[in-house]
Coordinates of all heavy atoms in Angstrom, one line a residue:
M1 N 51.4 17.0 -33.2 CA 52.0 15.7 -33.2 C 53.3 15.8 -32.4 O 54.0 16.8 -32.5 CB 52.3 15.2 -34.6 CG 51.1 14.8 -35.4 SD 50.6 13.1 -35.0 CE 49.5 12.8 -36.3
R2 N 53.6 14.7 -31.8 CA 54.9 14.6 -31.2 C 55.8 13.5 -31.8 O 55.2 12.6 -32.3 CB 54.8 14.5 -29.7 CG 54.2 13.2 -29.2 CD 54.1 13.2 -27.7 NE 52.9 12.4 -27.3 CZ 52.8 11.8 -26.2 NH1 53.7 11.8 -25.3 NH2 51.7 11.1 -26.0
T3 N 57.0 13.6 -31.7 CA 57.9 12.6 -32.3 C 58.4 11.7 -31.2 O 58.8 12.1 -30.1 CB 59.1 13.3 -32.9 OG1 58.6 14.2 -33.9 CG2 60.1 12.3 -33.5
V4 N 58.4 10.4 -31.5 CA 58.9 9.3 -30.6 C 60.1 8.6 -31.2 O 60.0 8.2 -32.4 CB 57.8 8.4 -30.2 CG1 58.3 7.3 -29.3 CG2 56.6 9.1 -29.5
S5 N 61.1 8.3 -30.5 CA 62.2 7.6 -31.0 C 62.3 6.2 -30.3 O 62.2 6.1 -29.1 CB 63.5 8.4 -30.8 OG 64.6 7.7 -31.2
L6 N 62.5 5.2 -31.1 CA 62.5 3.8 -30.6 C 63.8 3.1 -31.0 O 64.3 3.4 -32.1 CB 61.4 3.0 -31.2 CG 59.9 3.4 -30.8 CD1 58.9 2.6 -31.6 CD2 59.7 3.3 -29.3
T7 N 64.3 2.3 -30.2 CA 65.4 1.4 -30.5 C 64.9 0.0 -30.6 O 64.4 -0.5 -29.6 CB 66.6 1.6 -29.4 OG1 66.9 2.9 -29.3 CG2 67.7 0.7 -29.8
L8 N 65.0 -0.6 -31.7 CA 64.5 -1.9 -32.0 C 65.6 -2.9 -32.1 O 66.7 -2.6 -32.6 CB 63.6 -2.0 -33.2 CG 62.4 -1.0 -33.2 CD1 61.8 -1.0 -34.6 CD2 61.4 -1.4 -32.1
P9 N 65.4 -4.2 -31.7 CA 66.5 -5.2 -31.9 C 66.8 -5.3 -33.4 O 65.9 -5.2 -34.3 CB 65.8 -6.5 -31.4 CG 64.7 -6.0 -30.5 CD 64.2 -4.7 -31.1
E10 N 68.1 -5.6 -33.7 CA 68.5 -5.8 -35.0 C 67.8 -6.9 -35.8 O 67.6 -6.8 -37.0 CB 70.1 -6.0 -35.0 CG 70.9 -4.8 -34.7 CD 70.8 -3.7 -35.7 OE1 70.7 -4.0 -36.9 OE2 70.9 -2.5 -35.3
N11 N 67.5 -8.0 -35.0 CA 66.9 -9.1 -35.7 C 65.4 -9.0 -35.9 O 64.8 -9.9 -36.5 CB 67.2 -10.4 -34.9 CG 66.5 -10.3 -33.5 OD1 66.1 -9.3 -33.0 ND2 66.3 -11.5 -32.9
L12 N 64.8 -7.9 -35.6 CA 63.4 -7.6 -35.8 C 63.2 -7.2 -37.3 O 63.6 -6.1 -37.7 CB 62.8 -6.5 -34.9 CG 61.4 -6.3 -34.9 CD1 60.6 -7.5 -34.6 CD2 61.0 -5.1 -34.0
D13 N 62.6 -8.0 -38.0 CA 62.4 -7.8 -39.5 C 61.1 -7.0 -39.7 O 60.1 -7.6 -40.0 CB 62.4 -9.1 -40.2 CG 62.3 -8.9 -41.7 OD1 62.8 -7.8 -42.2 OD2 61.8 -9.8 -42.4
I14 N 61.2 -5.7 -39.5 CA 60.0 -4.8 -39.7 C 60.5 -3.5 -40.2 O 61.5 -2.9 -39.7 CB 59.2 -4.7 -38.4 CG1 57.8 -4.0 -38.6 CG2 60.0 -4.0 -37.3 CD1 56.9 -4.1 -37.4
N15 N 59.7 -2.9 -41.1 CA 60.1 -1.6 -41.6 C 59.3 -0.5 -40.9 O 58.3 -0.8 -40.2 CB 60.0 -1.5 -43.1 CG 58.6 -1.7 -43.7 OD1 57.7 -1.3 -43.1 ND2 58.5 -2.4 -44.8
E16 N 59.6 0.7 -41.2 CA 59.0 1.8 -40.5 C 57.5 1.9 -40.8 O 56.6 2.1 -39.9 CB 59.6 3.1 -40.8 CG 59.1 4.3 -40.1 CD 59.8 5.6 -40.4 OE1 61.0 5.6 -40.9 OE2 59.2 6.7 -40.2
S17 N 57.1 1.7 -42.1 CA 55.7 1.8 -42.4 C 54.8 0.7 -41.8 O 53.7 1.0 -41.3 CB 55.5 1.8 -43.9 OG 55.9 0.6 -44.5
E18 N 55.4 -0.5 -41.7 CA 54.6 -1.6 -41.0 C 54.5 -1.3 -39.5 O 53.5 -1.6 -38.9 CB 55.4 -2.9 -41.3 CG 54.6 -4.1 -40.8 CD 55.2 -5.4 -41.1 OE1 56.3 -5.5 -41.6 OE2 54.5 -6.4 -40.8
L19 N 55.6 -0.8 -38.9 CA 55.5 -0.4 -37.5 C 54.5 0.6 -37.2 O 53.7 0.5 -36.3 CB 56.9 0.0 -37.1 CG 57.1 0.3 -35.6 CD1 56.8 -1.0 -34.8 CD2 58.5 0.8 -35.3
K20 N 54.4 1.6 -38.1 CA 53.3 2.6 -38.0 C 51.9 2.1 -38.1 O 51.0 2.4 -37.3 CB 53.5 3.7 -39.0 CG 54.7 4.6 -38.8 CD 54.8 5.7 -39.9 CE 55.9 6.6 -39.7 NZ 56.0 7.6 -40.7
I21 N 51.7 1.1 -39.0 CA 50.4 0.5 -39.2 C 50.1 -0.3 -37.9 O 48.9 -0.3 -37.4 CB 50.4 -0.4 -40.4 CG1 50.5 0.4 -41.7 CG2 49.2 -1.3 -40.4 CD1 50.7 -0.4 -42.9
L22 N 51.0 -1.1 -37.4 CA 50.8 -1.9 -36.2 C 50.5 -1.0 -35.0 O 49.5 -1.3 -34.2 CB 52.0 -2.7 -35.9 CG 52.3 -3.9 -36.8 CD1 53.7 -4.5 -36.5 CD2 51.2 -4.9 -36.7
L23 N 51.2 0.1 -34.8 CA 50.9 1.0 -33.7 C 49.6 1.7 -33.9 O 48.8 1.8 -32.9 CB 52.0 2.1 -33.6 CG 51.9 3.1 -32.5 CD1 51.8 2.5 -31.1 CD2 53.0 4.1 -32.6
A24 N 49.3 2.2 -35.1 CA 48.0 2.8 -35.3 C 46.8 1.9 -35.1 O 45.8 2.3 -34.5 CB 48.0 3.4 -36.8
G25 N 47.0 0.6 -35.6 CA 45.9 -0.3 -35.4 C 45.7 -0.6 -33.9 O 44.5 -0.7 -33.5
E26 N 46.7 -0.8 -33.2 CA 46.6 -1.1 -31.8 C 46.0 0.1 -31.0 O 45.1 -0.1 -30.2 CB 48.0 -1.4 -31.2 CG 47.9 -1.9 -29.7 CD 47.2 -3.2 -29.5 OE1 47.2 -4.0 -30.4 OE2 46.7 -3.4 -28.4
L27 N 46.4 1.3 -31.3 CA 45.8 2.5 -30.6 C 44.4 2.7 -31.0 O 43.6 3.1 -30.2 CB 46.7 3.7 -30.9 CG 48.1 3.7 -30.3 CD1 48.9 4.9 -30.8 CD2 48.0 3.7 -28.8
Y28 N 44.0 2.3 -32.3 CA 42.6 2.4 -32.7 C 41.8 1.4 -31.9 O 40.7 1.8 -31.4 CB 42.5 2.2 -34.2 CG 41.0 2.2 -34.6 CD1 40.3 3.4 -34.7 CD2 40.4 1.0 -34.9 CE1 39.0 3.4 -35.1 CE2 39.1 1.0 -35.3 CZ 38.4 2.2 -35.3 OH 37.0 2.2 -35.7
E29 N 42.2 0.2 -31.8 CA 41.5 -0.9 -31.1 C 41.3 -0.5 -29.6 O 40.3 -0.8 -29.0 CB 42.2 -2.2 -31.2 CG 41.8 -3.0 -32.5 CD 42.1 -4.4 -32.4 OE1 43.0 -4.8 -31.6 OE2 41.5 -5.2 -33.2
R30 N 42.3 0.1 -29.1 CA 42.2 0.5 -27.6 C 41.5 1.8 -27.4 O 41.4 2.3 -26.3 CB 43.6 0.7 -27.1 CG 44.4 -0.7 -27.0 CD 45.7 -0.5 -26.4 NE 46.5 -1.7 -26.3 CZ 47.3 -2.0 -25.4 NH1 47.6 -1.1 -24.5 NH2 47.9 -3.2 -25.4
E31 N 40.9 2.3 -28.5 CA 40.1 3.6 -28.5 C 40.9 4.8 -28.0 O 40.4 5.7 -27.5 CB 38.9 3.4 -27.7 CG 38.0 2.3 -28.3 CD 36.7 2.0 -27.5 OE1 36.5 2.7 -26.5 OE2 35.9 1.2 -27.9
K32 N 42.2 4.8 -28.3 CA 43.1 5.9 -28.0 C 43.1 6.9 -29.2 O 43.4 8.1 -29.0 CB 44.5 5.5 -27.7 CG 44.6 4.6 -26.5 CD 44.2 5.3 -25.2 CE 44.4 4.3 -24.0 NZ 43.9 4.9 -22.8
L33 N 42.8 6.4 -30.4 CA 42.8 7.2 -31.6 C 41.5 7.0 -32.4 O 41.0 5.8 -32.4 CB 43.9 6.9 -32.6 CG 45.4 7.1 -32.1 CD1 46.4 6.7 -33.2 CD2 45.6 8.6 -31.8
S34 N 41.0 8.0 -33.1 CA 39.9 7.8 -34.0 C 40.4 7.1 -35.2 O 41.6 7.0 -35.4 CB 39.3 9.2 -34.3 OG 40.2 9.9 -35.2
L35 N 39.5 6.7 -36.1 CA 39.9 6.1 -37.3 C 40.7 7.0 -38.2 O 41.7 6.6 -38.7 CB 38.6 5.6 -38.1 CG 38.9 4.9 -39.4 CD1 39.6 3.6 -39.2 CD2 37.5 4.7 -40.1
G36 N 40.3 8.3 -38.3 CA 41.0 9.2 -39.0 C 42.4 9.5 -38.5 O 43.4 9.6 -39.2
Q37 N 42.5 9.6 -37.1 CA 43.8 9.8 -36.5 C 44.7 8.6 -36.7 O 45.9 8.7 -37.0 CB 43.7 10.0 -35.0 CG 43.0 11.3 -34.7 CD 42.7 11.4 -33.2 OE1 42.2 10.5 -32.6 NE2 42.9 12.6 -32.6
A38 N 44.2 7.4 -36.6 CA 45.0 6.2 -36.8 C 45.5 6.1 -38.3 O 46.6 5.7 -38.5 CB 44.2 4.9 -36.5
A39 N 44.6 6.4 -39.2 CA 45.0 6.4 -40.6 C 46.1 7.4 -40.9 O 47.1 7.1 -41.6 CB 43.8 6.7 -41.5
H40 N 46.0 8.6 -40.3 CA 47.0 9.6 -40.4 C 48.3 9.1 -39.9 O 49.4 9.3 -40.5 CB 46.6 10.9 -39.8 CG 47.5 12.0 -39.9 ND1 47.7 12.7 -41.1 CD2 48.4 12.5 -39.0 CE1 48.6 13.6 -40.9 NE2 49.1 13.5 -39.6
L41 N 48.3 8.5 -38.7 CA 49.5 8.0 -38.1 C 50.2 7.0 -38.9 O 51.4 6.9 -39.1 CB 49.2 7.4 -36.7 CG 50.4 6.7 -35.9 CD1 51.5 7.7 -35.7 CD2 49.9 6.1 -34.6
A42 N 49.4 6.1 -39.6 CA 49.9 5.1 -40.4 C 50.4 5.6 -41.8 O 51.0 4.9 -42.6 CB 48.8 4.0 -40.6
G43 N 50.0 6.9 -42.1 CA 50.4 7.5 -43.3 C 49.5 7.0 -44.5 O 50.0 6.9 -45.6
L44 N 48.3 6.7 -44.2 CA 47.4 6.1 -45.2 C 46.1 6.9 -45.2 O 45.7 7.6 -44.2 CB 47.0 4.7 -44.8 CG 48.2 3.7 -44.8 CD1 47.7 2.4 -44.1 CD2 48.7 3.4 -46.2
S45 N 45.3 6.8 -46.3 CA 44.0 7.4 -46.3 C 43.1 6.5 -45.4 O 43.5 5.4 -45.1 CB 43.4 7.4 -47.7 OG 43.2 6.0 -48.2
K46 N 41.9 7.0 -45.0 CA 41.0 6.2 -44.2 C 40.7 4.9 -44.9 O 40.6 3.9 -44.3 CB 39.7 7.0 -43.9 CG 39.9 8.0 -42.8 CD 38.5 8.6 -42.5 CE 38.6 9.7 -41.5 NZ 37.2 10.3 -41.3
R47 N 40.4 5.0 -46.2 CA 40.0 3.9 -47.0 C 41.1 2.8 -47.0 O 40.8 1.6 -46.8 CB 39.6 4.3 -48.4 CG 39.2 3.1 -49.2 CD 38.8 3.5 -50.6 NE 38.4 2.3 -51.4 CZ 37.5 2.3 -52.3 NH1 36.9 3.4 -52.6 NH2 37.3 1.2 -52.9
A48 N 42.3 3.2 -47.3 CA 43.4 2.3 -47.3 C 43.7 1.7 -45.9 O 44.0 0.5 -45.8 CB 44.7 3.0 -47.8
F49 N 43.5 2.5 -44.9 CA 43.7 2.0 -43.5 C 42.7 0.9 -43.2 O 43.0 -0.1 -42.6 CB 43.7 3.1 -42.5 CG 44.0 2.7 -41.1 CD1 45.3 2.3 -40.8 CD2 43.0 2.7 -40.1 CE1 45.6 1.9 -39.5 CE2 43.3 2.3 -38.8 CZ 44.6 1.9 -38.5
I50 N 41.4 1.2 -43.6 CA 40.3 0.3 -43.3 C 40.6 -1.1 -44.0 O 40.5 -2.1 -43.5 CB 39.0 0.8 -43.8 CG1 38.5 2.0 -42.8 CG2 37.9 -0.2 -43.9 CD1 37.4 2.8 -43.4
E51 N 41.1 -1.0 -45.3 CA 41.4 -2.2 -46.1 C 42.5 -3.0 -45.5 O 42.5 -4.2 -45.6 CB 41.7 -1.8 -47.5 CG 40.4 -1.2 -48.2 CD 40.7 -0.7 -49.6 OE1 41.9 -0.7 -50.1 OE2 39.8 -0.3 -50.3
I52 N 43.5 -2.4 -44.9 CA 44.6 -3.1 -44.4 C 44.5 -3.6 -43.0 O 45.2 -4.5 -42.5 CB 45.9 -2.2 -44.5 CG1 47.1 -3.0 -44.6 CG2 46.0 -1.2 -43.4 CD1 48.4 -2.2 -45.1
M53 N 43.5 -3.1 -42.2 CA 43.3 -3.4 -40.8 C 43.1 -5.0 -40.7 O 43.8 -5.6 -39.8 CB 42.0 -2.8 -40.3 CG 42.2 -1.3 -40.1 SD 42.9 -0.8 -38.5 CE 41.7 -1.3 -37.3
G54 N 42.3 -5.6 -41.5 CA 42.1 -7.0 -41.4 C 43.3 -7.8 -41.7 O 43.5 -8.9 -41.1
M55 N 44.2 -7.3 -42.6 CA 45.4 -8.1 -42.9 C 46.3 -8.2 -41.7 O 47.1 -9.1 -41.6 CB 46.1 -7.4 -44.1 CG 45.3 -7.5 -45.4 SD 46.0 -6.5 -46.8 CE 47.7 -6.5 -46.6
Y56 N 46.2 -7.2 -40.8 CA 47.0 -7.2 -39.6 C 46.3 -7.7 -38.4 O 46.8 -7.6 -37.3 CB 47.6 -5.8 -39.4 CG 48.7 -5.4 -40.3 CD1 48.5 -4.9 -41.5 CD2 50.0 -5.6 -39.9 CE1 49.5 -4.5 -42.4 CE2 51.1 -5.3 -40.7 CZ 50.8 -4.7 -42.0 OH 51.9 -4.4 -42.8
G57 N 45.1 -8.2 -38.6 CA 44.3 -8.8 -37.5 C 43.6 -7.8 -36.6 O 43.3 -8.2 -35.4
F58 N 43.4 -6.6 -37.0 CA 42.7 -5.6 -36.2 C 41.3 -5.6 -36.6 O 40.9 -5.7 -37.7 CB 43.4 -4.2 -36.4 CG 44.8 -4.1 -35.8 CD1 45.8 -4.0 -36.7 CD2 45.0 -4.2 -34.5 CE1 47.1 -3.9 -36.2 CE2 46.3 -4.1 -34.0 CZ 47.4 -3.9 -34.9
S59 N 40.4 -5.3 -35.6 CA 39.0 -5.1 -35.8 C 38.7 -3.7 -36.2 O 39.2 -2.7 -35.5 CB 38.2 -5.5 -34.6 OG 36.9 -5.2 -34.8
L60 N 37.9 -3.5 -37.2 CA 37.5 -2.1 -37.6 C 36.5 -1.6 -36.7 O 36.3 -0.4 -36.5 CB 37.0 -2.2 -39.0 CG 36.5 -0.9 -39.6 CD1 37.6 0.1 -39.7 CD2 36.0 -1.1 -41.0
F61 N 35.7 -2.4 -36.1 CA 34.6 -2.0 -35.3 C 34.9 -1.6 -33.9 O 35.5 -2.3 -33.1 CB 33.5 -3.1 -35.3 CG 33.0 -3.4 -36.7 CD1 33.5 -4.6 -37.3 CD2 32.3 -2.6 -37.4 CE1 33.1 -4.9 -38.5 CE2 31.9 -2.9 -38.7 CZ 32.3 -4.1 -39.3
S62 N 34.5 -0.4 -33.5 CA 34.8 0.2 -32.2 C 33.8 -0.5 -31.2 O 32.7 -0.9 -31.5 CB 34.5 1.7 -32.3 OG 34.6 2.2 -31.0
K63 N 34.3 -0.5 -30.0 CA 33.4 -1.1 -28.9 C 32.4 -0.1 -28.5 O 31.4 -0.4 -27.9 CB 34.3 -1.5 -27.7 CG 35.2 -2.6 -28.0 CD 36.2 -2.8 -26.9 CE 37.2 -3.9 -27.3 NZ 38.5 -3.7 -26.6
S64 N 32.6 1.2 -28.8 CA 31.7 2.3 -28.4 C 30.8 2.6 -29.6 O 31.2 2.9 -30.7 CB 32.5 3.5 -28.0 OG 31.7 4.7 -28.0
E65 N 29.5 2.6 -29.3 CA 28.5 3.0 -30.3 C 28.7 4.4 -30.7 O 28.6 4.8 -31.9 CB 27.1 2.8 -29.8 CG 26.0 3.1 -30.8 CD 24.6 2.9 -30.2 OE1 24.4 2.2 -29.2 OE2 23.7 3.4 -30.8
E66 N 29.0 5.3 -29.8 CA 29.2 6.7 -30.1 C 30.4 6.9 -31.0 O 30.3 7.7 -32.0 CB 29.5 7.5 -28.8 CG 29.7 9.0 -29.0 CD 29.9 9.7 -27.6 OE1 29.3 9.3 -26.6 OE2 30.8 10.6 -27.6
D67 N 31.5 6.2 -30.8 CA 32.6 6.3 -31.7 C 32.3 5.8 -33.1 O 32.7 6.4 -34.1 CB 33.8 5.5 -31.2 CG 34.5 6.2 -30.0 OD1 34.2 7.4 -29.7 OD2 35.2 5.5 -29.3
L68 N 31.5 4.7 -33.2 CA 31.2 4.1 -34.5 C 30.3 5.1 -35.3 O 30.5 5.4 -36.4 CB 30.5 2.8 -34.3 CG 30.0 2.1 -35.6 CD1 31.2 1.8 -36.5 CD2 29.3 0.8 -35.3
L69 N 29.3 5.7 -34.6 CA 28.5 6.7 -35.3 C 29.3 7.9 -35.7 O 29.0 8.5 -36.8 CB 27.3 7.1 -34.3 CG 26.3 6.0 -34.0 CD1 25.3 6.5 -33.0 CD2 25.6 5.6 -35.3
S70 N 30.2 8.4 -34.9 CA 31.1 9.5 -35.2 C 31.9 9.2 -36.5 O 32.1 10.0 -37.4 CB 32.0 9.8 -34.1 OG 32.9 10.8 -34.4
D71 N 32.5 7.9 -36.5 CA 33.3 7.5 -37.7 C 32.4 7.5 -38.9 O 32.9 7.9 -40.0 CB 33.9 6.2 -37.4 CG 35.1 6.3 -36.5 OD1 35.6 7.4 -36.3 OD2 35.5 5.2 -35.9
I72 N 31.2 7.0 -38.8 CA 30.3 6.9 -40.0 C 30.0 8.4 -40.5 O 30.0 8.6 -41.7 CB 29.0 6.2 -39.6 CG1 29.4 4.7 -39.4 CG2 28.0 6.4 -40.7 CD1 28.2 3.9 -38.8
T73 N 29.7 9.3 -39.5 CA 29.4 10.6 -39.9 C 30.6 11.3 -40.6 O 30.4 12.1 -41.5 CB 29.0 11.4 -38.6 OG1 27.9 10.8 -38.0 CG2 28.6 12.9 -38.9
N74 N 31.8 11.1 -40.1 CA 33.0 11.8 -40.6 C 33.6 11.1 -41.7 O 34.6 11.5 -42.2 CB 34.0 12.0 -39.4 CG 33.4 12.9 -38.4 OD1 32.8 13.9 -38.7 ND2 33.7 12.6 -37.1
A75 N 33.1 9.9 -42.2 CA 33.7 9.2 -43.3 C 33.6 9.9 -44.6 O 32.8 10.7 -44.9 CB 33.1 7.8 -43.4

């Protein structure tokens, strides 16, 4: 893992855990991270990450059939 430092505007009302969820969800949807990797980045179990995805407007379903089958196998 690598560490990234961000400077956010003072008026942005978001905490670190929510920012991690948003980043992980976006990277998962763009197929840059697997479900497990995204959950790890968000600091959640796979199950918890799956449950919270919809609350943030992210789709759980990958566009790639291969990725979906891999996620099912590794769940």
Side-chain angles (χ1 to χ4, degrees):
M1 289 276 195
R2 66 182 145 152
T3 301
V4 176
S5 177
L6 298 172
T7 303
L8 301 173
E10 290 292 329
N11 65 340
L12 184 62
D13 186 25
I14 189 169
N15 61 38
E16 184 177 339
S17 62
E18 187 175 9
L19 186 59
K20 287 180 180 182
I21 291 167
L22 290 169
L23 178 59
E26 186 66 29
L27 291 173
Y28 176 75
E29 273 197 341
R30 292 180 181 212
E31 300 180 0
K32 301 294 184 185
L33 294 179
S34 69
L35 181 63
Q37 290 170 322
H40 181 75
L41 176 60
L44 301 168
S45 68
K46 281 185 186 180
R47 181 180 178 145
F49 185 69
I50 289 168
E51 291 174 358
I52 206 165
M53 290 277 289
M55 292 172 35
Y56 283 86
F58 294 111
S59 174
L60 178 61
F61 301 104
S62 173
K63 296 174 186 151
S64 162
E65 181 180 343
E66 181 180 322
D67 287 345
L68 181 57
L69 293 174
S70 174
D71 285 341
I72 291 168
T73 302
N74 294 320

